[in-house]
Amino acid sequence: MVPEAAVQAVDNQPVVFVRTGETRFARRDVTPGLRQGGATEITQGLQPGEVVATEGSFRLKALLLQSRVEGD
């Protein structure tokens, strides 16, 4: 289970951002399951104990999309 705020949509695909370093995060495609009490079950794509961004996940999504635009 992750907080609902951790799940974003990129290219119509649910994603979370997993912490890979002190200030680094990586996009991870996930399959969400049930939602209850402000939390979302992740049935595929996330390992137990991995740390995901919550409050900052929208900002990470914006940075990812911005990098795509700048790369074009």
Side-chain angles (χ1 to χ4, degrees):
M1 300 290 281
V2 300
E4 283 183 8
V7 182
Q8 297 292 326
V10 176
D11 300 327
N12 295 318
Q13 168 66 44
V15 303
V16 296
F17 293 93
V18 176
R19 187 174 188 175
T20 60
E22 189 172 323
T23 59
R24 300 187 73 96
F25 289 84
R27 170 189 166 163
R28 184 78 57 80
D29 294 348
V30 295
T31 303
L34 300 174
R35 291 185 173 144
Q36 182 178 14
T40 301
E41 174 187 32
I42 302 299
T43 61
Q44 290 183 3
L46 192 61
Q47 298 298 315
E50 287 186 302
V51 176
V52 298
T54 54
E55 293 179 16
S57 66
F58 184 80
R59 176 75 175 136
L60 290 169
K61 174 184 171 179
L63 289 169
L64 173 68
L65 296 176
Q66 180 182 8
S67 71
R68 286 183 179 179
V69 170
E70 291 173 353
D72 288 343

